[in-house]
Amino acid sequence: MSGTSAPYISRLINKKDGIMNKVFVEMHKKTGYDIQITYVKKDV
């Protein structure tokens, strides 16, 4: 994840209207899953 800081990703995840909401994150934590964000450059 070059060029993208952990605090930036954290802000996106924790925003009320961000990429993921708290319910999504908590649901995965309770079912024993971690969330990983992977960036893949798309072919243009």
Side-chain angles (χ1 to χ4, degrees):
M1 269 194 326
S2 65
T4 305
S5 68
Y8 173 76
I9 294 297
S10 181
R11 282 194 303 276
L12 287 177
I13 292 170
N14 292 319
K15 275 177 50 176
K16 209 173 203 180
D17 59 347
I19 297 171
M20 293 178 238
N21 64 30
K22 186 175 181 176
V23 173
F24 179 83
V25 173
E26 290 300 318
M27 179 180 68
H28 281 80
K29 282 183 182 178
K30 288 181 181 183
T31 57
Y33 287 91
D34 285 330
I35 299 169
Q36 294 182 343
I37 299 174
T38 304
Y39 292 91
V40 179
K41 186 170 179 140
K42 62 182 180 177
D43 298 325
V44 280

